[in-house]
Amino acid sequence: ADPLERDAQPLYHAGQILMYKGRYQEAEIYLHKAVSGYFSPLVMKEEEVWHDYGLVLWHVGKSMEAAQNFENAVITNPMF
C-alpha cells in the first residue's frame, strides 16, 4: 500500500469503478490523484487515465478541464 497515494494504479481503478457506477464527483477525486501520481507504463496506459478523468470532468460540468484532459490523452498517445 502507498499511504501517500502516489501510485496511480489503485487510484485509477477506484476512480474507474466509481465512474462506471455513475458516482462522478467521487470518481473525480480519485482520478485527479491518479493523473497527479506516478505511472507505470508496464502496468497501465497513461492515456486511458487522462481520458477517464476527462469523462468524469465532463459529467460534473467541467467541460474546459475535460477537454484539456482529452487533449492530454492524445498528446500522450497520438493513436488513442
Side-chain angles (χ1 to χ4, degrees):
D2 180 13
L4 298 178
E5 296 185 325
R6 296 169 298 182
D7 182 359
Q9 185 177 12
L11 298 166
Y12 172 57
H13 290 300
Q16 262 190 326
I17 291 166
L18 292 165
M19 179 180 71
Y20 292 141
K21 290 183 172 191
R23 294 165 54 184
Y24 301 113
Q25 290 179 329
E26 292 173 88
E28 179 185 359
I29 294 166
Y30 285 94
L31 292 171
H32 174 75
K33 290 178 182 179
V35 299
S36 304
Y38 298 108
F39 293 95
S40 174
L42 298 174
V43 179
M44 58 194 264
K45 296 183 179 186
E46 186 175 348
E47 63 271 20
E48 292 179 9
V49 182
W50 290 113
H51 173 265
D52 287 357
Y53 185 39
L55 284 177
V56 164
L57 290 169
W58 180 264
H59 281 285
V60 298
K62 298 179 180 178
S63 57
M64 295 300 289
E65 291 178 57
Q68 180 62 52
N69 283 280
F70 293 140
E71 186 176 330
N72 289 343
V74 174
I75 289 169
T76 303
N77 180 358
M79 302 299 290
F80 185 65

